[in-house]
Structure formats: structure tokens, C-alpha cells
């Protein structure tokens, strides 16, 4: 075979160099591509190192047989090396095979065919060795450079056998500390037996072993997602584990769960019925007021079709409006009489992400009160005209957690700004201090209501405001919910009644004082005339009539005065 490859021959015996060169030429190597060196020092004069194969004697002028291979291999670490040796060096040559030599030939015993076969096999074996080394390097790189911690441990004793750099960096243990530890030691005590139990379920295939807790070097306990499988590591039964830190994800879920609980507490504390329906018309949530209103428990309706729970709803006018809100995203409000409970309700339908939210306010008493007020006093307008409560909740830093639209509207109306733009200097200092005091009472655990009076451009307004502490899972007060109901109309009505009473008392006073004084004068004059005027029977009858009328009028005035005192209480 003809080849343009270069070959290096290290041999200090000129005759051997000549004979081996002749054999190499017969094999197919060109004479000018056969580089012969008689010592290791001559390697410094070679300008190329791209030799296809290297033939080297172990005994050279400047190197002993036990050093030559190591020194040549250091210069040409990637080239296949064939050792040329004498019969008495055969055992050592075989040992060099274990150190990386591809083959050895005993000088004086090989010809062209054996030399060609040795060269060809050495090249192939070296190629396979290089690929294995590359594969091993790739595996090591994948293992070491993986951004997630990888831990290999003994399947039976749990002792750590190997870890990558990410495990050292994230957990804080040095490599020596890792190798001295056991996998059950990096877990809380209560997690150790479940860890031992799950090892029996692992297979040779990749497996999601679930979420566990691990202990870092500084004592921090974190949540990790574990992926494991069985393997062999240096002939030892082992388990490979990849641990992905999901602590922030787990804690975020916990915070969301607490936030949802706060929202649920707020919804359960409002007096209006509230429920949500998804786009498949399945009821997904109902609050406590809904349960009370319809006499149905959450467990009975949640997850059930709206049609199954309320068969009459599908044929009601509200059905079409709710569908329109779901499709178009508008808000719908109306007042209707519920066929199911026989009461008048104020209904508000709002679009939400996966369906609609429906608020139901029982306005039976409100409508009755309006009718009664209109019948009793046509001059007075209704005190309540389907107004919505202002609802909001705040945390301990007085930041708004949740609020309904009337709250945002009121805030915008009072400050001219959106909540995100609001700063403390935008608020009246005295007013802020008063509210801060009310919030502080609620954060101390007090559940109370107060009447808030405020002077506006339209007059004095009154609001009944209730404060309710909200407790977290540890029974600590984490927030408060607040409800404000405008009671200005009721207060106005009471003020008018008091004004009418004052007018009635003024009339009674006029009758008992001013009119009575004139009656007393009439009685006195009639008695005087009766004593000093000559008796006249006809005149006498007139005087007696005047006196009787005056006495009766005096009795009436006394009765009015008595009634006035009873009104005063």
C-alpha cells in the first residue's frame, strides 16, 4: 500500500535502522517520510509531530530502557507507539502496553507482514483509545459542568462516591466533606426513613423521585426536585441523583396559598353572596353568604354544573346576560327577584380569567324600607339606592392587598391619582393619623365598627365602617379587611324626624305659655265684672258662659303641656 503518512523510527543501531526502513518502504511508506533518530536529543531537531506511528527502541544512548517509553509518550501523547525490544526485555515491553504502548516487536524476529500488521492494528487501537478518552472526557465534562448538583452514592451504605462542582458550590461542602458523608445525613431526621424506603422503588431507568428537603452546609433547609436511577460506579452498586433547587418555587406556592386564603377570608366575611362559574358552566367557588342565601353547602355545588344545581337558571333572562359577559368581557348589573329563594337581589356579573364572578346582594329589606319611607313621607327620598359597600384589605405595612372597584373609584376621586402613583404626602396628615389609629386597633385583634363623619362640598356624609382582623396559618394577624357602608341617607332621615319633634315642642310651648296667659286674663276679667256690675240676669248668663269656655280652654292647654313633657321623656 502506498501512503503519504510520516513515520518516526527511534533506533541507535544503524543496521537496524536500515533494515526496518527497507521494510517500511516495502509496506508503502516513502523514503523521505521515514524520519530516523538515533537518540531522544535528536527529537529536538524534528519540526513536525504529525507522525502516523512511532517505532522506538527502549535502549537509547541518552535514555535507559525503563525511561524511554515514558519520555517518548510525553512528547507524542496522541501517536500510537510500537516498542522495538530484545528478547530479554519482553516482560518490560508487555508492561509498557499497560502504560499506553500499542504493541511491541522483538527485533530480528519480524518481517514485512508482521510489521505491517502491527502498524495497522496499532493505528486502529490508538484511534479507538483516542475516541474512548474523548468519550470519557465528554462524560466528565457533562458531569462536572452540569449546572445542577449530581451526587453518586452507594446503593447499600448511602456513602457518597462522587459529586460534581455544582454540588460543591450549592451545598457548601468541600469534595472531601462530601465523600465523608452519607446521603441520609443531608436530610432532616423525619425525612431519612422515607428516603431509605424509596430507594427500593428505583430502577435502572431515569425516574422522577419527587420533592425532598436537603440540608446545606450552613444549616439551611431547601426543597429540591430529585431525579435518580440505579447504575454501576467503579463496580459498585450505586445511585445517580440530580437535585434541582426548587425552594423558591415551593415557597412562592406557599405564599400564593396564603394569599388565596386571605382572599377567601375576605369573600367569606362580606354580606353579599358570591360565586364563580367557569366557561363550561361549572361552579368553581361559593362564599359563606352564598351558602346561607341558597341553603346549599360548598361541597354540594363546587365542581357541579350550574344547571344541575339551579335548573331554572338556564331559562331565566340572567342566563343570556351572563353568557354575554363571558363572551364579550363586559360588566352586567341588574335587580331581579330570585325564583329559587323568592327574594329581590342586586346582581353584579364580572368577567374573570376563566369565566365570570357573580355578586348577589339581598335587597329585600332595602326595598321594603324604601317603600315604607315613600309611603310615610313623600318629601323624603330613599335613604339607600342600591349602593355598593367599599371593601378593601391591607397588610401590616398599610399596603392595599385587595379591594373592590368602589374603593379604587373613591381613592381616585379623593386624591386625583391612581394607587400606584399615590404618596403619603398626598393624604391629609390629621386624617391619615386617625385612620392609622383605627387600623392599629384591628391589628391588635379588635373586631369593631365605627361611624365616620366627614364634611364635603355637598354636606355632611356618614359611613359605617367595620374592621376585621385576618389570621394566617400560624394564627397571627397578617392583614385586616375593612367595609364601609354609606349611611348618610339614614342619618338625614333621623335628623328630619328630630327637627319635626322640635317644631312640635315649640307649638306646645306657645299654647301652654302665650295662649294660656290670655285665657287667665279672660277668667280674671269675667270675675271682676261679675262682682262690680249691677246684677243683670241676661248679662250674668253671658259671663258664666265666658268663664266655662275659658276653664275648658285652660284644661286643653294643660293636656297639651302634659303631652309635650311626655315627648321630652
Amino acid at each position: 500500500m502506498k501512503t503519504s503518512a510520516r513515520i518516526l523510527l527511534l533506533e541507535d543501531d544503524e543496521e537496524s535502522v536500515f533494515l526496518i526502513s527497507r521494510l517500511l518502504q516495502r509496506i508503502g511508506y516513502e523514503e523521505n517520510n521515514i524520519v530516523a533518530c538515533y537518540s531522544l536529543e535528536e527529537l529536538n531537531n524534528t519540526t513536525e509531530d504529525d507522525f502516523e506511528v512511532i517505532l522506538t527502541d527502549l535502549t537509547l544512548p541518552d535514555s535507559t530502557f525503563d525511561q524511554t517509553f515514558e519520555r517518548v509518550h510525553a512528547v507524542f501523547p496522541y501517536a500510537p507507539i510500537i516498542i522495538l525490544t530484545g528478547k530479554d526485555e519482553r516482560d518490560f515491553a508487555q508492561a509498557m502496553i499497560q502504560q499506553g504502548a500499542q504493541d511491541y516487536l522483538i527485533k530480528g524476529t519480524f518481517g514485512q507482514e508482521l510489521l505491517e500488521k502491527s502498524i495497522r492494528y496499532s493505528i486502529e487501537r490508538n484511534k479507538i483509545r483516542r475516541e474512548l478518552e474523548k468519550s470519557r472526557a465528554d462524560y466528565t465534562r457533562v458531569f462536572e459542568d452540569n449546572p445542577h448538583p449530581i451526587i453518586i452514592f452507594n446503593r447499600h451504605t448511602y456513602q457518597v462516591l462522587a459529586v460534581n462542582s455544582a454540588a460543591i458550590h450549592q451545598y457548601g461542602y468541600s469534595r472531601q466533606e462530601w465523600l465523608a458523608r452519607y446521603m441520609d445525613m443531608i436530610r432532616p431526621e423525619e425525612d431519612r426513613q422515607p428516603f431509605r424506603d424509596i430507594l427500593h422503588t428505583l430502577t435502572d431507568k431515569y425516574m422522577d423521585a419527587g420533592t425532598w428537603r436537603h440540608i446545606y452546609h450552613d444549616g439551611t433547609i431547601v426543597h429540591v426536585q430529585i431525579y435518580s436511577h440505579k447504575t454501576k460506579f467503579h463496580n459498585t452498586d450505586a445511585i445517580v441523583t440530580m437535585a434541582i433547587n426548587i425552594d423558591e418555587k415551593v415557597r412562592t406556592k406557599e405564599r400564593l396559598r396564603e394569599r388565596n386564603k386571605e382572599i377567601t377570608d375576605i369573600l367569606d366575611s362580606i354580606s353579599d353572596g358570591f360565586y364563580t362559574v367557569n366557561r363550561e358552566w361549572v361552579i368553581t367557588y361559593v362564599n359563606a353568604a352564598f351558602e346561607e342565601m341558597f341553603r346549599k353547602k360548598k361541597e354540594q355545588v363546587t365542581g357541579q354544573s350550574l344547571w344541575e344545581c339551579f335548573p331554572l337558571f338556564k331559562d331565566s333572562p340572567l342566563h343570556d346576560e351572563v353568557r354575554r359577559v363571558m363572551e364579550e368581557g363586559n360588566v352586567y348589573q341588574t335587580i331581579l327577584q330570585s325564583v329559587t329563594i323568592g327574594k329581590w337581589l342586586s346582581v353584579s356579573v364580572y368577567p374573570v380569567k376563566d369565566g365570570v364572578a357573580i355578586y348577589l346582594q339581598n335587597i329585600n329589606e332595602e326595598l321594603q324600607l324604601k317603600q315604607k319611607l315613600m309611603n310615610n313621607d313623600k318629601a323624603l327620598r330613599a335613604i339607600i339606592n342600591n349602593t355598593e359597600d367599599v371593601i378593601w384589605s391591607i397588610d401590616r405595612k398599610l399596603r392595599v392587598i385587595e379591594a373592590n372597584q368602589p374603593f379604587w373609584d373613591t381613592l381616585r376621586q379623593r386624591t386625583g391619582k391612581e394607587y400606584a402613583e399615590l404618596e403619603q404626602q398626598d393624604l391629609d396628615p390629621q386624617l391619615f393619623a386617625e385612620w392609622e389609629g383605627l387600623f392599629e386597633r384591628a391589628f391588635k385583634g379588635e373586631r369593631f365598627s365605627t361611624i365616620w363623619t366627614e364634611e364635603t362640598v355637598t354636606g355632611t356624609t356618614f359611613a359605617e365602617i367595620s374592621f376585621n382582623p385576618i389570621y394566617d396559618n400560624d394564627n397571627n394577624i397578617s392583614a385586616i379587611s375593612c367595609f364601609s357602608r354609606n349611611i348618610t341617607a339614614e342619618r338625614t332621615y333621623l335628623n328630619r324626624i328630630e327637627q319635626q319633634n322640635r317644631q312640635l315642642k315649640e307649638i306646645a310651648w306657645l299654647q301652654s305659655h302665650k295662649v294660656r296667659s290670655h285665657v287667665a286674663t279672660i277668667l280674671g276679667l269675667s270675675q271682676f265684672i261679675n262682682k262690680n256690675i249691677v246684677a243683670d240676669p241676661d248679662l250674668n248668663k253671658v259671663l258664666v258662659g265666658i268663664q266655662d269656655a275659658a276653664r275648658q280652654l285652660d284644661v286643653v292647654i294643660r293636656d297639651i303641656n302634659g303631652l309635650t313633657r311626655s315627648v321630652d321623656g
Side-chain angles (χ1 to χ4, degrees), residues 326-553:
M326 194 177 294
E327 294 174 352
E328 300 177 2
N330 300 320
V331 176
Y332 175 74
Q333 294 179 319
T334 188
I335 296 175
L336 54 79
Q337 188 174 27
S338 170
V339 178
T340 305
I341 62 176
K343 294 181 179 180
W344 283 94
L345 302 175
S346 173
V347 181
S348 300
V349 186
Y350 298 93
V352 293
K353 181 180 179 181
D354 297 317
V356 294
I358 303 174
Y359 289 87
L360 305 172
Q361 183 181 14
N362 184 346
I363 59 172
N364 248 28
E365 294 182 2
E366 181 181 337
L367 293 177
Q368 292 172 1
L369 177 61
K370 287 180 181 180
Q371 188 62 43
K372 182 178 179 179
L373 290 174
M374 291 175 63
N375 292 337
N376 291 340
D377 190 350
K378 298 297 183 180
L380 292 177
R381 292 183 298 176
I383 296 174
I384 300 174
N385 184 22
N386 195 26
T387 57
E388 293 187 15
D389 295 344
V390 177
I391 305 171
W392 75 100
S393 63
I394 60 171
D395 61 17
R396 286 192 168 273
K397 294 184 178 181
L398 305 186
R399 296 175 301 195
V400 177
I401 303 172
E402 294 290 338
N404 65 352
Q405 194 58 45
F407 173 86
W408 303 120
D409 293 341
T410 302
L411 186 67
R412 194 182 304 109
Q413 181 182 0
R414 290 176 175 272
T415 64
K417 292 185 175 182
E418 298 293 339
Y419 177 69
E421 305 170 347
L422 198 62
E423 298 180 0
Q424 186 168 336
Q425 54 264 33
D426 296 323
L427 305 174
D428 180 86
Q430 182 177 354
L431 190 64
F432 181 81
E434 292 183 42
W435 277 96
E436 195 172 27
L438 295 172
F439 293 147
E440 185 177 353
R441 287 173 58 186
F443 277 119
K444 289 181 179 179
E446 184 180 355
R447 186 185 299 270
F448 66 97
S449 296
T450 186
I451 303 299
W452 185 267
T453 305
E454 187 173 7
E455 296 295 333
T456 67
V457 294
T458 59
T460 304
T461 60
F462 302 90
E464 181 182 24
I465 306 174
S466 60
F467 298 83
N468 304 281
I470 298 174
Y471 295 84
D472 60 17
N473 292 337
D474 299 323
N475 206 31
N476 297 319
I477 299 174
S478 60
I480 58 175
S481 60
C482 309
F483 308 88
S484 176
R485 185 172 66 91
N486 191 328
I487 59 171
T488 304
E490 291 96 323
R491 282 300 182 98
T492 301
Y493 176 73
L494 292 175
N495 289 340
R496 292 194 62 179
I497 295 298
E498 291 175 359
Q499 183 179 1
Q500 289 176 350
N501 287 338
R502 286 195 296 270
Q503 292 172 347
L504 178 61
K505 285 187 279 187
E506 288 178 2
I507 293 171
W509 185 86
L510 288 173
Q511 291 173 334
S512 72
H513 291 82
K514 293 186 178 182
V515 175
R516 194 175 180 212
S517 65
H518 294 301
V519 172
T521 302
I522 293 172
L523 285 173
L525 289 174
S526 64
Q527 290 174 358
F528 175 78
I529 293 171
N530 191 29
K531 290 179 180 180
N532 296 285
I533 297 178
V534 178
D536 183 333
D538 294 330
L539 185 58
N540 243 356
K541 290 180 181 180
V542 173
L543 290 175
V544 171
I546 292 173
Q547 289 174 350
D548 288 342
R551 290 190 196 92
Q552 291 175 4
L553 184 58

Side-chain angles (χ1 to χ4, degrees), residues 26 49 70 78 108 188 271 275 315 322 379 395 440 455 475 557:
R26 292 174 186 172
D49 60 357
E70 182 178 350
Y78 303 116
S271 58
Y275 69 104
D315 297 325
V322 173
D395 61 17
E440 185 177 353
E455 296 295 333
N475 206 31
I557 293 171

